[in-house]
Amino acid sequence: MASSFNLTQRLIRDHIAAWEGAKVDGAHLPESRLTPGSEIGIRIDQTLTQDATGTLVMLELEAMGLERVKTALSVQYVDHNLLQTDHKNADDHVFLLSACKRFGIWYSRPGNGVSHPVHMERFGVPGASLAGSDSHTPAAGALGMLAFGSGGMDVAFAMAGEPLFLAMPRVLGVEVVGKLPPWVSAKDAILELLRRHGVEGCKGWVVEYSGPGLAGLSTMDRHVMANMGTEMGATTSVFPSDQETWRFLKAQGREEAWRPLAADPGAAYDAREILDLSALEPLIAFPGSPGDVHPVREAAGLPIYQSYIGSSANPGLRDFWVAAEIVSGRMAHPEVSLDINPSSRQTLENLIANGSLEKLVRAGARIHQAGCNGCIGMGQAPASGRASLRTVPRNFPGRSGSVDDRVYLCSPETAAASALTGEITDPRDLEALGLAYPRYQAPGKEIINTAMLLPPDPETVGTATLIKGPNIKALPDLGPLPDAFRVPVLLKLGDDISTDEILRAGAEALPYRSNIPEIARFTYGVIDPGFPDRAIEAGRAFGGHVVVAGRNYAQGSSREHAALAPRYLGQIAVLAKGFARIGRQNLVNFGILPLEFRNPDDYQTIRSGDLLSAKDLRSQLMAGGPIRILNETRGLEYPMAISLSERQMQAVLAGGVISYFRIHTGGAAEENVPSSR
């Protein structure tokens, strides 16, 4: 390895932790440990959990018998499931507060805001490491943090003081040059990278930004880009910590947390490219995928039903201010619902103070509470078959809450312009109507209110009672991997299947996030509503099932329910051409075999309903594969690749990492593990 390091390598070396708890001095780390693809363990300074995933994390901490978290700081946000149509979400909020008291965790109350911008504002520290049970946790890379989205189980272990394990990534160096033209913003910049790389082109890579063009991008602009790096499949995204970072932290009253961070002069990268901001134009992602990106002008004129501004992907004060200036003195089109989704209560207070909220309200905007809301399908669902423009990070089918949704991803400028005209509009066309591009000037200091952030109480740590409502159930006990199986293929899927399609979000399903038997009823429901019943029947007749998929299986959310619910229904393996990073690890965490076709053409020979079998599975796995799968229906054999570290292999053999943890610790926490279903 070169004697000078890029920023990603520097941060990883600063936080590397050896396997099995042994300590390694990063300065004397063997170079072989940093070979791309090799498993590394990262020491985690901070964790972030949110309510859609955090309830399972807290149940996992209970199952592990943890007394208190061992990180420097852990925060539980309530931002996803804010609708309180019955007791379920409210009970989970009560449970999460009790868990924070029990384990020594900060609690961000319902309505305080989306985890990612709030965490940057109040807790982010340049150079620190962060693991979050939300796939958009890499947004904190905007501050120069080493931030990873992970399944809840991995975050639970990080909270218990264990390393976060992942494959050493390659590093893509993106040199940013030029300056954004009028009517073009950071959302268009990241959409341009998605146009280049698609939704899996950066899988196994970190995207590291540098260059003179960064001087024109605010910290929250960088947040937009780091947030949506997840949509390219990137392990994380990293920006330097520079004078703009200092300005942001000073505006938050936390300039003492700042320190400069940058790549070494002459640092090497595994690949490089240039992002010329001055060459960009307004862009838009067409329905179904964040990677299907086109110029806005190609979609111009299409009537819309909804224009939605806000979310973790465009959470900055500037994003709402620009939209308010565009619609100021005008009225949203009578057939358009203009939805304003404040990203945090702090942002809402500042919008009130600078007059932007009044301008939005006068323009006909519907103001929603600070949280994720429509981005995760919790309200604000569009009308059937109608186009919805959104500044959210992803637009997988059905994620909005409408089964036949048509969600386009765009910038606040495009969303606001289109809200006025009633059709998709290139915002540059507003100049013909006499509207000059509004130039934002960030305030030197923002209004700050931390009253809805509750710190840990030393008096309750280790002693507080966990308060569980009737919908909160213990984790199901998962048995070890069988040595043989003979099971049907219950579903054959295509490429880029998202976690929203495996176990959907939304107001109907997510209230059962702490009740696995109930949420399992929604498994693959977007694709095949009858799947859960067929899985139960296959369990009775064969003892389980498998599914087959194409490339990039389980992309999107870090939602581990998309592995745990199928496992509860008897899923033994997924046979796929490839897996998304977090989705693959979640399968391992719950004892499902992630098998990859060594010959991709074998995928074509399998049909739903085929009977597949395997023998001597455990010995094949311990030998490192290949795993031999016989298609009894068609008389074919498939050699399947299985790429697992020793730790991952032992976890799969044990039936998941909770069982592995019990074995690894000599059963010390066994009395805390819930009984079988």
Side-chain angles (χ1 to χ4, degrees):
M1 183 174 294
S3 57
S4 61
F5 300 99
N6 57 55
L7 181 54
T8 300
Q9 292 169 332
R10 180 67 65 194
L11 291 173
I12 287 176
R13 290 178 70 91
D14 285 348
H15 291 88
I16 198 85
W19 298 328
E20 306 303 332
K23 302 302 179 185
V24 170
D25 180 357
H28 299 92
L29 189 69
E31 292 186 7
S32 61
R33 286 288 308 282
L34 293 181
T35 302
S38 62
E39 187 175 62
I40 58 174
I42 300 294
R43 186 190 76 248
I44 296 300
D45 301 319
Q46 301 181 358
T47 66
L48 169 162
T49 49
Q50 39 92 334
D51 49 314
T53 57
T55 50
L56 273 188
V57 171
M58 301 307 161
L59 290 171
E60 289 157 359
L61 294 181
E62 180 190 28
M64 292 160 58
L66 189 71
E67 286 286 324
R68 65 164 299 147
V69 297
K70 298 181 180 180
T71 48
L73 176 138
S74 288
V75 189
Q76 170 65 54
Y77 295 90
V78 180
D79 58 2
H80 278 59
N81 298 286
L82 300 179
L83 292 178
Q84 295 181 209
T85 56
D86 62 17
H87 65 92
K88 299 185 197 68
N89 285 340
D91 283 357
D92 273 1
H93 301 167
V94 172
F95 167 68
L96 288 170
L97 177 57
S98 72
C100 288
K101 293 178 178 179
R102 170 76 167 270
F103 299 120
I105 301 167
W106 282 79
Y107 182 73
S108 179
R109 294 171 58 190
N112 191 47
V114 181
S115 60
H116 310 299
V118 175
H119 200 90
M120 277 185 54
E121 290 165 350
R122 303 272 54 86
F123 301 112
V125 176
S129 59
L130 171 68
S133 61
D134 187 289
S135 59
H136 292 114
T137 301
L143 274 181
M145 296 187 75
L146 187 64
F148 303 101
S150 301
M153 190 76 78
D154 293 320
V155 176
F157 275 91
M159 294 168 82
E162 294 293 313
L164 178 72
F165 291 100
L166 66 152
M168 177 66 191
R170 291 179 169 83
V171 185
L172 170 63
V174 177
E175 183 181 6
V176 183
V177 300
K179 185 177 180 181
L180 289 170
W183 305 105
V184 178
S185 61
K187 187 60 160 280
D188 301 301
I190 189 60
L191 286 174
E192 167 60 24
L193 292 180
L194 273 157
R195 180 162 65 169
R196 297 180 189 180
H197 297 283
V199 294
E200 61 172 328
C202 291
K203 186 168 69 174
W205 292 75
V206 169
V207 182
E208 181 179 315
Y209 295 92
S210 63
L214 293 183
L217 296 177
S218 72
T219 301
M220 293 311 291
D221 288 337
R222 301 172 188 187
H223 181 289
V224 174
M225 298 172 69
N227 176 291
M228 286 191 65
T230 296
E231 309 313 324
M232 298 190 291
T235 302
T236 192
S237 297
V238 175
F239 283 83
S241 175
D242 54 17
Q243 284 302 116
E244 162 54 28
T245 318
W246 176 85
R247 184 211 62 78
F248 172 82
L249 288 171
K250 186 174 187 297
Q252 305 302 321
R254 296 199 305 114
E255 61 267 37
E256 76 284 350
W258 181 76
R259 68 178 174 113
L261 292 168
D264 294 340
Y269 293 87
D270 297 288
R272 289 177 177 269
E273 65 181 73
I274 293 175
L275 178 63
D276 184 356
L277 300 178
S278 62
L280 298 179
E281 63 175 309
L283 297 172
I284 192 167
F286 281 19
S289 174
D292 188 10
V293 177
H294 304 263
V296 171
R297 52 185 162 77
E298 291 185 7
L302 179 72
I304 67 170
Y305 162 80
Q306 182 183 58
S307 185
Y308 173 115
I309 298 169
S311 87
S312 68
N314 276 101
L317 183 59
R318 172 251 174 229
D319 296 324
F320 298 99
W321 180 90
V322 165
E325 292 301 306
I326 290 173
V327 302
S328 178
R330 299 166 176 84
M331 189 68 185
H333 190 278
E335 296 183 16
V336 173
S337 174
L338 174 56
D339 290 85
I340 300 299
N341 196 117
S343 51
S344 71
R345 184 159 295 239
Q346 175 174 314
T347 297
L348 188 57
E349 287 192 43
N350 281 275
L351 289 173
I352 293 170
N354 68 21
S356 295
L357 189 67
E358 180 182 2
K359 293 176 181 178
L360 290 165
V361 170
R362 285 188 177 277
R366 303 167 65 183
I367 311 299
H368 302 274
Q369 63 178 313
C372 297
N373 304 334
C375 178
I376 195 67
M378 283 288 180
Q380 298 151 277
S384 299
R386 302 295 184 93
S388 170
L389 299 193
R390 298 185 168 210
T391 65
V392 302
R394 53 179 58 131
N395 58 346
F396 301 135
R399 178 179 168 88
S400 71
S402 297
V403 175
D404 58 347
D405 59 5
R406 295 167 59 202
V407 173
Y408 294 78
L409 307 181
C410 65
S411 69
E413 288 89 339
T414 298
S418 303
L420 292 177
T421 64
E423 59 188 33
I424 295 179
T425 300
D426 187 322
R428 295 174 296 185
D429 293 345
L430 293 180
E431 290 191 348
L433 303 177
L435 181 61
Y437 182 56
R439 294 286 185 180
Y440 177 70
Q441 182 64 46
K445 186 171 181 58
E446 294 185 22
I447 298 170
I448 298 168
N449 185 344
T450 62
M452 293 186 72
L453 281 168
L454 307 182
D457 182 355
E459 298 297 319
T460 65
V461 174
T463 61
T465 300
L466 295 178
I467 303 173
K468 299 179 181 179
N471 185 50
I472 299 174
K473 306 297 182 183
L475 292 174
D477 194 16
L478 305 174
L481 181 74
D483 196 41
F485 64 75
R486 184 173 181 269
V487 298
V489 175
L490 282 195
L491 206 57
K492 185 176 181 181
L493 306 163
D495 296 336
D496 299 324
I497 295 298
S498 72
T499 49
D500 284 291
E501 294 165 285
I502 302 168
L503 200 293
R504 66 184 177 90
E508 185 182 3
L510 278 188
Y512 295 106
R513 59 202 175 276
S514 50
N515 185 337
I516 300 306
E518 284 298 313
I519 204 169
R521 296 186 298 108
F522 297 91
T523 304
Y524 297 109
V526 173
I527 300 167
D528 177 6
F531 181 90
D533 290 338
R534 295 195 296 113
I536 291 170
E537 182 57 35
R540 295 191 185 110
F542 297 96
H545 71 271
V546 299
V547 299
V548 175
R551 301 190 316 273
N552 203 30
Y553 176 80
Q555 69 162 330
S557 167
S558 66
R559 197 178 310 135
E560 59 188 345
H561 300 79
L564 180 52
R567 175 75 159 91
Y568 177 82
L569 292 176
Q571 190 170 99
I572 296 173
V574 177
L575 285 65
K577 292 182 181 180
F579 298 87
R581 179 183 67 87
I582 300 175
R584 180 180 180 277
Q585 183 59 50
N586 282 342
L587 293 176
V588 170
N589 285 348
F590 292 102
I592 298 175
L593 283 171
L595 302 176
E596 292 194 38
F597 290 101
R598 295 184 71 177
N599 178 7
D601 291 340
D602 286 344
Y603 167 86
Q604 304 294 341
T605 70
I606 302 179
R607 298 289 181 271
S608 183
D610 286 358
L611 198 62
L612 305 188
S613 63
K615 297 179 180 178
D616 303 318
L617 195 57
R618 295 174 68 87
S619 59
Q620 289 186 71
L621 183 61
M622 287 187 285
I627 307 296
R628 302 285 176 178
I629 303 294
L630 177 64
N631 187 332
E632 295 187 9
T633 304
R634 306 188 185 279
L636 299 171
E637 186 177 80
Y638 309 125
M640 305 296 298
I642 180 77
S643 178
L644 299 176
S645 68
E646 175 68 21
R647 178 190 59 83
Q648 290 174 315
M649 181 191 69
Q650 293 298 333
V652 170
L653 289 171
V657 292
I658 286 284
S659 297
Y660 169 70
F661 180 77
R662 293 189 351 232
I663 296 168
H664 192 60
T665 57
E670 187 150 0
E671 68 274 10
N672 298 289
V673 178
S675 61
S676 171
R677 61 187 168 103

